[in-house]
Amino acid sequence: MGEKKLGLPSVIATGVGLIVATSCLLSIGQGTAAIGTPFIITMAIACAFNILTALSICELNALMPNMTGGMAQYTLACFGPFVTIVITVGGYLTCQTIMGSSEAAMFGNTLSSVLPQIPVSGAVYSILLIVILTAFNLFGVDMFAKIQNVVAYALIGSLIVLGLAGCFNLGTGKVVEQPSVISSKPSDIFSLLGLAFFLFIGVEFIVPISSQVKNARKKVPLGMVLSLVIILVMQIFMAIGFSHYTPWNELGASTVPHILYGTALYGKFGKIWMTIISLLAVISTINTALFANSQICQGMAKINLLPSVFMRTNKKGTPYVGLLLIAVIMCIINGTGLSTSSQLTFLILTGCTFWIFSYIILHFDVLILRKRLPKAPRTFKLPLGPVIPIVGIIGNAFMIYNIDSSWEVKKKIYTIFVIVVAILSVYAFFWIKKVMKRPMFKAYQIKEVMAMENEQYQVYHNPITARKLHIEKQKIKKYSADINTGTRPE
């Protein structure tokens, strides 16, 4: 095991980095434009449910530390390979690739609108950014941490400063005279929970890098909770600032509410500053998504849920196959213009539904392992027995129900959710039967899942690598026989 290089600042930067995206700034604008500052209550509820999920993840990580596949390995030890493949591939890899592509597209579109004199399409900016970040990530965790720390803290600082300036009317623009509360009805507040949930999604991506964190037992749980609290505080400032400087009707109609706010706050300077923030948000999100997803692909390959090629690493220890594959898909999505489709937001919301469902599975993982291994040593354990996981399950189910305020939209989301599950189920069935040759719903023992992190396990137990090893042994055996008999080896 190499030296652990990441501290608490890098843990927080990773959590904040993936969560705070350009699309999150859009979501804050949409939420506040719908009901005004009561959207802060909605955000606080969504943040609280995500903190419960983070705490459940921390207990799982304490029981099964240093798991590069994170949720995949926890669920494998509770539900078996079928549920693990469907949830992890659908809820993480597919969803994050789409979201990362949309983030790159939003940045490209923003840059094109800010620099209209340069005849370059937004897709070119987007692809160039993806290529640059992929190249940097190939240099390993050190480069990832350096980029993430600088970008994430510059992003946090900028948004807090601009939010506070709006809260206390410190901008050079005109303060808008309008009611801060549009609706305080509980039904309206709850109906936006799905939108607010998107503002805090992804803190569990800290887990795949936990093996690189110094004193992970304390810093991973603390980093997760602090990431979510910092984001909530920052978004509260932004919501209040919106109410002071942007008319509600203009805010709701804008596709770039953060640019609208920056311009209203400080004119051209504010517009440029918000454009820089957009760049920071995209770099932070895509940088984290590329690195963490490549780690998840590697972890899933170790437990034979993905082909063993995803375990390959370069000289810097970066699992480059997953990294390059995700980057290529993002480039294709942006190059074909799919990322600018009017349906992309709808697809992202569908991906969020998958993500929330995966959080429900995580809470069930905690309950199952509590029942199965009540006396197993845990360096972190949730208080109040099963209360927190159960509340988390109910809360996440409630957010799925409130994924959108329109019942027609919800029905479409649920339909696509079922279709995606069906497609992934077919892949999982054939992969498990033909490649893994294991029972689909039989949970693995924790000791076996943890042993799979070791390279020697992969050599002797992974069906694919074991087959290659057998072939090499047969070649050596034949070569030795040819030498002994005097036959010229081929």
Side-chain angles (χ1 to χ4, degrees):
M1 178 78 63
E3 180 186 357
K4 297 185 176 184
K5 302 175 182 180
L6 302 182
L8 182 62
S10 294
V11 175
I12 295 174
T14 301
V16 172
L18 183 75
I19 298 171
V20 178
T22 311
S23 51
C24 288
L25 300 175
L26 173 63
S27 298
I28 299 173
Q30 291 175 337
T32 51
I35 61 174
T37 52
F39 186 63
I40 293 172
I41 300 173
T42 312
M43 292 192 296
I45 295 171
C47 181
F49 284 134
N50 276 272
I51 288 176
L52 296 184
T53 301
L55 293 175
S56 284
I57 293 169
C58 289
E59 177 167 328
L60 293 169
N61 187 52
L63 184 62
M64 301 170 63
N66 301 327
M67 296 286 100
T68 52
M71 180 189 171
Q73 285 148 314
Y74 307 147
T75 307
L76 188 64
C78 295
F79 289 95
F82 184 86
V83 175
T84 303
I85 291 175
V86 172
I87 292 299
T88 309
V89 176
Y92 282 88
L93 301 181
T94 303
C95 183
Q96 258 306 304
T97 302
I98 293 174
M99 288 183 175
S101 302
S102 69
E103 289 302 315
M106 290 183 69
F107 164 73
N109 295 337
T110 300
L111 210 57
S112 294
S113 65
V114 173
L115 303 172
Q117 66 274 18
I118 301 177
V120 176
S121 69
V124 173
Y125 291 124
S126 302
I127 293 173
L128 184 61
L129 182 64
I130 294 168
V131 170
I132 292 173
L133 290 176
T134 301
F136 277 127
N137 269 276
L138 288 170
F139 286 94
V141 67
D142 278 345
M143 184 59 69
F144 161 78
K146 289 174 183 176
I147 294 174
Q148 200 60 29
N149 287 349
V150 172
V151 170
Y153 285 105
L155 174 63
I156 295 168
S158 293
L159 288 176
I160 287 178
V161 169
L162 289 174
L164 286 172
C167 285
F168 296 102
N169 299 338
L170 300 178
T172 57
K174 181 181 179 181
V175 176
V176 177
E177 296 294 332
Q178 62 183 358
S180 60
V181 177
I182 298 175
S183 173
S184 58
K185 294 180 181 179
S187 58
D188 291 335
I189 291 173
F190 290 144
S191 69
L192 294 171
L193 269 176
L195 184 66
F197 175 82
F198 182 59
L199 301 174
F200 303 96
I201 199 170
V203 72
E204 71 279 5
F205 273 78
I206 289 173
V207 171
I209 68 164
S210 62
S211 60
Q212 304 283 346
V213 176
K214 292 176 286 188
N215 193 12
R217 180 176 67 87
K218 292 182 179 180
K219 291 179 180 177
V220 168
L222 182 60
M224 282 186 173
V225 175
L226 285 178
S227 296
L228 292 169
V229 172
I230 289 170
I231 290 167
L232 176 62
V233 171
M234 178 179 65
Q235 290 168 346
I236 288 173
F237 291 153
M238 289 295 294
I240 296 174
F242 281 159
S243 71
H244 289 177
Y245 283 89
T246 54
W248 292 132
N249 59 333
E250 293 181 20
L251 186 66
S254 176
T255 57
V256 283
H258 52 296
I259 302 294
L260 177 67
Y261 172 65
T263 305
L265 193 65
Y266 288 121
K268 186 176 180 180
F269 172 73
K271 181 179 181 179
I272 294 172
W273 194 352
M274 270 298 183
T275 302
I276 294 173
I277 287 176
S278 297
L279 173 60
L280 294 174
V282 172
I283 290 176
S284 183
T285 300
I286 296 178
N287 190 49
T288 303
L290 287 171
F291 184 82
N293 275 314
S294 65
Q295 297 286 327
I296 289 175
C297 286
Q298 182 188 40
M300 291 185 69
K302 287 178 180 179
I303 55 180
N304 202 25
L305 298 181
L306 287 177
S308 60
V309 68
F310 287 99
M311 287 189 287
R312 293 182 181 177
T313 58
N314 62 14
K315 293 180 180 179
K316 296 292 185 178
T318 301
Y320 64 90
V321 176
L323 177 68
L324 294 176
L325 177 62
I326 292 167
V328 167
I329 295 173
M330 285 185 180
C331 288
I332 291 173
I333 291 175
N334 278 274
T336 55
L338 292 175
S339 56
T340 59
S341 168
S342 60
Q343 293 296 313
L344 187 58
T345 302
F346 174 78
L347 292 175
I348 290 176
L349 206 56
T350 305
C352 282
T353 304
F354 234 117
W355 212 325
I356 300 172
F357 188 74
S358 69
Y359 281 1
I360 293 175
I361 297 297
L362 279 171
H363 285 301
F364 274 115
D365 288 345
V366 173
L367 295 174
I368 290 171
L369 293 177
R370 281 276 188 96
K371 180 71 174 179
R372 189 179 299 163
L373 300 169
K375 297 182 180 180
R378 294 167 172 83
T379 54
F380 177 88
K381 191 172 183 179
L382 293 172
L384 306 176
V387 173
I388 290 178
I390 290 174
V391 173
I393 291 169
I394 296 171
N396 282 298
F398 185 66
M399 283 192 287
I400 289 178
Y401 179 76
N402 288 286
I403 196 67
D404 192 89
S405 57
S406 168
W407 179 244
E408 289 301 317
V409 174
K410 284 197 286 190
K411 284 196 296 185
K412 292 179 181 178
I413 290 174
Y414 299 155
T415 301
I416 292 179
F417 178 83
V418 172
I419 292 172
V420 172
V421 168
I423 294 172
L424 291 173
S425 296
V426 172
Y427 161 74
F429 175 81
F430 283 103
W431 181 261
I432 295 167
K433 289 295 184 181
K434 301 297 182 181
V435 179
M436 296 181 66
K437 301 184 186 302
R438 299 283 294 253
M440 289 196 295
F441 299 100
K442 184 177 180 180
Y444 284 38
Q445 292 186 3
I446 284 183
K447 60 182 181 182
E448 182 181 3
V449 176
M450 296 185 69
M452 289 175 174
E453 282 288 323
N454 190 288
E455 292 181 1
Q456 293 302 311
Y457 181 96
Q458 303 305 321
V459 173
Y460 292 101
H461 293 83
N462 186 299
I464 298 174
T465 53
R467 192 180 305 120
K468 291 180 180 178
L469 180 64
H470 175 73
I471 293 172
E472 291 299 320
K473 286 182 177 179
Q474 292 299 315
K475 287 181 179 179
I476 294 172
K477 185 177 179 180
K478 184 177 185 301
Y479 183 86
S480 300
D482 290 340
I483 293 294
N484 292 334
T485 58
T487 305
R488 179 185 176 90
E490 296 181 2

Coordinates of all heavy atoms in Angstrom, one line a residue, residues 18-82:
L18 N -17.6 17.8 -6.5 CA -18.6 17.1 -7.4 C -20.0 17.7 -7.2 O -20.7 17.8 -8.2 CB -18.6 15.6 -7.0 CG -19.6 14.8 -7.9 CD1 -18.9 14.6 -9.3 CD2 -19.9 13.5 -7.3
I19 N -20.3 18.1 -6.0 CA -21.7 18.5 -5.8 C -22.0 19.9 -6.4 O -23.1 20.1 -7.0 CB -22.0 18.5 -4.2 CG1 -21.8 17.1 -3.7 CG2 -23.4 19.1 -4.0 CD1 -21.9 17.1 -2.1
V20 N -21.1 20.8 -6.2 CA -21.4 22.2 -6.7 C -21.1 22.2 -8.2 O -19.9 22.3 -8.6 CB -20.5 23.2 -5.9 CG1 -20.8 24.6 -6.5 CG2 -20.9 23.2 -4.4
A21 N -22.1 22.2 -9.0 CA -21.9 22.2 -10.4 C -22.7 23.4 -11.0 O -23.5 24.1 -10.3 CB -22.5 20.9 -11.0
T22 N -22.5 23.7 -12.2 CA -23.2 24.8 -12.9 C -24.7 24.6 -12.9 O -25.5 25.5 -12.7 CB -22.7 25.0 -14.3 OG1 -21.3 25.0 -14.3 CG2 -23.2 26.3 -14.9
S23 N -25.1 23.3 -13.1 CA -26.5 23.0 -13.1 C -27.1 23.2 -11.7 O -28.3 23.4 -11.5 CB -26.7 21.5 -13.5 OG -25.8 20.6 -12.8
C24 N -26.3 23.1 -10.6 CA -26.8 23.4 -9.3 C -27.1 24.8 -9.1 O -28.1 25.2 -8.5 CB -25.7 23.0 -8.2 SG -25.5 21.2 -8.0
L25 N -26.3 25.7 -9.7 CA -26.6 27.1 -9.7 C -27.9 27.4 -10.4 O -28.7 28.3 -10.0 CB -25.5 27.9 -10.3 CG -24.1 27.8 -9.7 CD1 -23.0 28.5 -10.5 CD2 -24.1 28.3 -8.2
L26 N -28.1 26.7 -11.5 CA -29.4 26.8 -12.2 C -30.6 26.3 -11.3 O -31.6 26.9 -11.3 CB -29.4 25.9 -13.5 CG -30.7 25.8 -14.3 CD1 -31.1 27.1 -14.8 CD2 -30.5 24.8 -15.4
S27 N -30.4 25.2 -10.6 CA -31.4 24.7 -9.7 C -31.8 25.6 -8.6 O -32.9 25.8 -8.2 CB -31.0 23.3 -9.2 OG -30.8 22.4 -10.2
I28 N -30.8 26.3 -8.0 CA -31.1 27.3 -7.0 C -31.9 28.4 -7.5 O -32.9 28.8 -6.9 CB -29.7 27.9 -6.4 CG1 -28.9 26.8 -5.8 CG2 -30.1 28.9 -5.4 CD1 -27.5 27.3 -5.4
G29 N -31.6 28.9 -8.8 CA -32.4 29.9 -9.4 C -33.8 29.5 -9.6 O -34.7 30.2 -9.4
Q30 N -34.0 28.2 -10.1 CA -35.3 27.7 -10.4 C -36.1 27.6 -9.1 O -37.3 27.9 -9.0 CB -35.2 26.4 -11.1 CG -34.7 26.5 -12.5 CD -34.5 25.1 -13.2 OE1 -34.4 24.1 -12.5 NE2 -34.5 25.1 -14.5
G31 N -35.5 27.1 -8.1 CA -36.2 26.9 -6.8 C -36.6 28.1 -6.1 O -37.8 28.3 -5.7
T32 N -35.7 29.1 -6.1 CA -36.1 30.4 -5.4 C -37.1 31.2 -6.3 O -37.9 31.9 -5.7 CB -34.8 31.2 -5.2 OG1 -34.0 31.3 -6.4 CG2 -33.9 30.6 -4.1
A33 N -37.0 31.0 -7.6 CA -37.9 31.7 -8.4 C -39.3 31.2 -8.3 O -40.3 31.9 -8.5 CB -37.5 31.6 -9.9
A34 N -39.4 29.9 -7.9 CA -40.7 29.2 -7.7 C -41.5 29.6 -6.5 O -42.7 29.9 -6.5 CB -40.6 27.7 -7.8
I35 N -40.7 29.7 -5.3 CA -41.4 29.9 -4.1 C -40.7 31.0 -3.2 O -41.1 31.3 -2.1 CB -41.5 28.7 -3.2 CG1 -40.2 28.1 -2.9 CG2 -42.4 27.6 -3.9 CD1 -40.2 26.9 -1.9
G36 N -39.6 31.6 -3.7 CA -38.9 32.6 -3.0 C -37.9 32.0 -1.9 O -37.5 30.8 -2.1
T37 N -37.6 32.8 -0.9 CA -36.7 32.3 0.1 C -37.1 31.1 0.9 O -36.3 30.4 1.5 CB -36.4 33.4 1.1 OG1 -37.6 34.0 1.6 CG2 -35.6 34.5 0.4
P38 N -38.4 30.7 0.9 CA -38.8 29.4 1.6 C -38.1 28.2 1.0 O -38.1 27.1 1.6 CB -40.3 29.3 1.4 CG -40.7 30.8 1.4 CD -39.7 31.5 0.7
F39 N -37.5 28.4 -0.2 CA -36.8 27.3 -0.8 C -35.6 26.9 0.0 O -35.1 25.8 -0.1 CB -36.3 27.7 -2.2 CG -35.6 26.6 -3.0 CD1 -36.3 25.5 -3.4 CD2 -34.3 26.7 -3.4 CE1 -35.7 24.4 -4.1 CE2 -33.6 25.7 -4.1 CZ -34.3 24.6 -4.4
I40 N -35.2 27.9 0.9 CA -34.1 27.5 1.9 C -34.5 26.4 2.8 O -33.7 25.5 3.1 CB -33.8 28.8 2.7 CG1 -33.1 29.9 1.8 CG2 -32.8 28.4 3.9 CD1 -32.9 31.2 2.5
I41 N -35.8 26.4 3.2 CA -36.3 25.3 4.0 C -36.2 23.9 3.2 O -35.8 22.9 3.8 CB -37.8 25.5 4.4 CG1 -37.9 26.8 5.2 CG2 -38.3 24.3 5.2 CD1 -39.3 27.2 5.5
T42 N -36.6 24.0 1.9 CA -36.5 22.8 1.1 C -35.1 22.3 1.0 O -34.8 21.1 1.1 CB -37.0 23.1 -0.3 OG1 -38.3 23.8 -0.2 CG2 -37.2 21.8 -1.1
M43 N -34.1 23.2 0.8 CA -32.7 22.9 0.7 C -32.2 22.2 2.1 O -31.5 21.3 2.1 CB -31.9 24.1 0.4 CG -32.1 24.6 -1.0 SD -30.8 25.8 -1.6 CE -31.1 27.1 -0.4
A44 N -32.7 22.8 3.2 CA -32.3 22.3 4.5 C -32.8 20.9 4.7 O -32.0 20.0 5.2 CB -32.8 23.2 5.6
I45 N -34.0 20.6 4.3 CA -34.5 19.2 4.4 C -33.8 18.3 3.6 O -33.4 17.2 4.0 CB -36.0 19.2 4.0 CG1 -36.9 20.1 5.0 CG2 -36.6 17.8 4.0 CD1 -38.3 20.3 4.6
A46 N -33.5 18.6 2.3 CA -32.7 17.8 1.4 C -31.3 17.5 1.9 O -30.8 16.4 1.9 CB -32.7 18.4 0.0
C47 N -30.7 18.6 2.5 CA -29.4 18.5 3.0 C -29.4 17.5 4.2 O -28.5 16.7 4.4 CB -28.9 19.8 3.5 SG -27.2 19.8 4.2
A48 N -30.4 17.6 5.1 CA -30.5 16.7 6.2 C -30.6 15.2 5.8 O -29.9 14.4 6.4 CB -31.7 17.1 7.1
F49 N -31.4 14.9 4.8 CA -31.5 13.6 4.3 C -30.2 13.1 3.7 O -29.8 11.9 3.9 CB -32.7 13.4 3.3 CG -34.0 13.5 3.9 CD1 -35.0 14.2 3.4 CD2 -34.3 12.7 5.1 CE1 -36.3 14.3 4.0 CE2 -35.6 12.7 5.6 CZ -36.6 13.5 5.1
N50 N -29.5 14.0 3.1 CA -28.2 13.6 2.5 C -27.1 13.4 3.6 O -26.2 12.5 3.4 CB -27.7 14.6 1.5 CG -28.4 14.4 0.1 OD1 -27.8 13.6 -0.7 ND2 -29.5 15.0 -0.1
I51 N -27.2 14.1 4.7 CA -26.3 13.9 5.8 C -26.6 12.5 6.4 O -25.6 11.8 6.8 CB -26.5 15.0 6.9 CG1 -25.9 16.3 6.3 CG2 -25.8 14.6 8.2 CD1 -26.0 17.5 7.3
L52 N -27.9 12.1 6.5 CA -28.2 10.8 7.0 C -27.6 9.7 6.1 O -27.0 8.7 6.6 CB -29.7 10.6 7.1 CG -30.5 11.5 8.0 CD1 -31.9 11.1 8.1 CD2 -29.9 11.4 9.5
T53 N -27.6 9.9 4.8 CA -27.0 9.0 3.8 C -25.5 8.9 4.0 O -24.9 7.9 4.0 CB -27.4 9.3 2.4 OG1 -28.8 9.3 2.2 CG2 -26.8 8.4 1.4
A54 N -24.9 10.1 4.2 CA -23.5 10.2 4.4 C -23.0 9.4 5.6 O -22.0 8.7 5.6 CB -23.0 11.6 4.5
L55 N -23.8 9.5 6.7 CA -23.5 8.8 7.9 C -23.6 7.3 7.8 O -22.8 6.5 8.3 CB -24.4 9.3 9.1 CG -24.2 10.7 9.5 CD1 -25.3 11.1 10.6 CD2 -22.8 11.0 10.1
S56 N -24.6 6.9 7.0 CA -24.7 5.4 6.7 C -23.5 4.9 5.9 O -23.0 3.9 6.2 CB -26.0 5.1 6.0 OG -27.1 5.2 6.8
I57 N -23.1 5.7 4.9 CA -22.0 5.4 4.1 C -20.7 5.3 5.0 O -19.9 4.4 4.8 CB -21.8 6.4 3.0 CG1 -22.9 6.3 2.0 CG2 -20.4 6.2 2.3 CD1 -22.9 7.5 1.0
C58 N -20.6 6.2 6.0 CA -19.5 6.2 6.9 C -19.4 4.9 7.7 O -18.3 4.4 7.9 CB -19.5 7.4 7.8 SG -19.2 9.0 7.0
E59 N -20.6 4.4 8.2 CA -20.5 3.2 8.9 C -20.1 2.0 8.0 O -19.4 1.1 8.4 CB -21.9 2.9 9.5 CG -21.9 1.5 10.2 CD -23.1 1.3 11.1 OE1 -23.7 2.3 11.7 OE2 -23.6 0.1 11.2
L60 N -20.6 2.0 6.8 CA -20.2 0.9 5.8 C -18.7 1.0 5.5 O -18.1 0.0 5.5 CB -21.0 1.1 4.5 CG -22.5 0.8 4.6 CD1 -23.2 1.3 3.3 CD2 -22.8 -0.7 4.9
N61 N -18.2 2.2 5.4 CA -16.8 2.4 5.1 C -16.0 2.0 6.3 O -14.8 1.5 6.2 CB -16.5 3.8 4.7 CG -15.1 4.0 4.3 OD1 -14.6 3.3 3.4 ND2 -14.4 5.0 4.9
A62 N -16.5 2.2 7.5 CA -15.8 1.8 8.7 C -15.7 0.2 8.9 O -14.8 -0.3 9.4 CB -16.5 2.4 10.0
L63 N -16.8 -0.4 8.4 CA -16.8 -1.9 8.5 C -16.0 -2.5 7.4 O -15.4 -3.5 7.5 CB -18.3 -2.4 8.4 CG -18.5 -3.9 8.5 CD1 -18.1 -4.4 9.9 CD2 -20.0 -4.2 8.3
M64 N -16.0 -1.9 6.2 CA -15.3 -2.4 5.0 C -14.4 -1.2 4.5 O -14.7 -0.6 3.5 CB -16.2 -2.9 4.0 CG -17.2 -4.0 4.4 SD -18.5 -4.4 3.2 CE -17.5 -4.9 1.8
P65 N -13.3 -0.9 5.1 CA -12.5 0.2 4.8 C -11.7 0.0 3.5 O -11.5 -1.1 3.0 CB -11.5 0.4 6.0 CG -11.4 -1.0 6.5 CD -12.8 -1.6 6.3
N66 N -11.4 1.2 2.9 CA -10.5 1.2 1.7 C -11.0 0.4 0.5 O -10.3 -0.2 -0.3 CB -9.1 0.6 2.0 CG -8.4 1.4 3.1 OD1 -8.6 2.6 3.2 ND2 -7.6 0.7 4.0
M67 N -12.4 0.5 0.3 CA -13.0 -0.2 -0.8 C -13.1 0.8 -2.0 O -13.8 1.8 -1.9 CB -14.4 -0.6 -0.5 CG -14.5 -1.7 0.7 SD -14.0 -3.3 0.1 CE -12.3 -3.4 0.7
T68 N -12.3 0.6 -3.1 CA -12.3 1.5 -4.2 C -13.6 1.5 -4.9 O -13.9 2.5 -5.6 CB -11.1 1.1 -5.2 OG1 -11.3 -0.3 -5.5 CG2 -9.8 1.4 -4.5
G69 N -14.4 0.4 -4.9 CA -15.7 0.4 -5.5 C -16.8 0.9 -4.7 O -17.9 1.1 -5.2
G70 N -16.5 1.3 -3.4 CA -17.5 1.9 -2.6 C -18.8 1.1 -2.5 O -18.9 0.0 -2.0
M71 N -19.9 1.7 -3.0 CA -21.2 1.2 -2.9 C -21.3 -0.2 -3.5 O -22.0 -1.1 -3.0 CB -22.2 2.1 -3.5 CG -23.6 1.6 -3.4 SD -24.8 2.5 -4.4 CE -26.2 1.5 -4.3
A72 N -20.6 -0.4 -4.6 CA -20.7 -1.7 -5.3 C -20.2 -2.8 -4.3 O -20.9 -3.9 -4.3 CB -19.8 -1.7 -6.5
Q73 N -19.2 -2.6 -3.6 CA -18.7 -3.7 -2.7 C -19.6 -3.8 -1.5 O -19.8 -5.0 -1.0 CB -17.3 -3.4 -2.3 CG -16.3 -3.7 -3.5 CD -15.1 -2.8 -3.5 OE1 -15.2 -1.6 -3.4 NE2 -13.9 -3.3 -3.7
Y74 N -20.1 -2.7 -0.9 CA -21.1 -2.8 0.2 C -22.3 -3.7 -0.2 O -22.7 -4.6 0.5 CB -21.5 -1.5 0.7 CG -20.4 -0.5 1.0 CD1 -20.6 0.9 0.7 CD2 -19.2 -0.9 1.5 CE1 -19.6 1.8 1.0 CE2 -18.2 0.0 1.8 CZ -18.4 1.3 1.6 OH -17.4 2.2 1.8
T75 N -22.9 -3.3 -1.4 CA -24.1 -4.0 -1.8 C -23.9 -5.4 -2.2 O -24.7 -6.3 -2.0 CB -24.7 -3.2 -3.0 OG1 -24.9 -1.8 -2.6 CG2 -26.1 -3.7 -3.4
L76 N -22.7 -5.7 -2.7 CA -22.3 -7.1 -3.1 C -22.4 -8.0 -1.8 O -22.8 -9.1 -1.9 CB -21.0 -7.2 -3.7 CG -20.5 -8.5 -4.3 CD1 -21.4 -8.9 -5.5 CD2 -19.1 -8.5 -4.8
A77 N -22.0 -7.4 -0.7 CA -21.9 -8.2 0.6 C -23.3 -8.3 1.2 O -23.5 -8.9 2.2 CB -21.0 -7.5 1.5
C78 N -24.3 -7.6 0.6 CA -25.7 -7.6 1.2 C -26.7 -8.2 0.3 O -27.6 -9.0 0.7 CB -26.1 -6.2 1.6 SG -25.1 -5.4 2.9
F79 N -26.6 -7.9 -1.0 CA -27.7 -8.3 -2.0 C -27.2 -9.2 -3.1 O -28.0 -9.7 -3.9 CB -28.3 -7.0 -2.6 CG -29.2 -6.2 -1.7 CD1 -28.7 -5.1 -1.0 CD2 -30.5 -6.6 -1.5 CE1 -29.5 -4.4 -0.1 CE2 -31.3 -5.8 -0.6 CZ -30.8 -4.7 0.1
G80 N -25.9 -9.4 -3.2 CA -25.4 -10.2 -4.3 C -25.1 -9.4 -5.5 O -25.3 -8.1 -5.6
P81 N -24.6 -10.0 -6.6 CA -24.1 -9.3 -7.8 C -25.2 -8.6 -8.7 O -25.0 -7.6 -9.3 CB -23.4 -10.3 -8.6 CG -23.9 -11.6 -8.1 CD -24.3 -11.4 -6.7
F82 N -26.4 -9.2 -8.7 CA -27.4 -8.7 -9.6 C -27.8 -7.3 -9.2 O -27.8 -6.3 -10.1 CB -28.6 -9.6 -9.6 CG -29.7 -9.2 -10.6 CD1 -29.6 -9.6 -11.9 CD2 -30.8 -8.4 -10.2 CE1 -30.6 -9.2 -12.9 CE2 -31.7 -8.0 -11.2 CZ -31.7 -8.4 -12.5

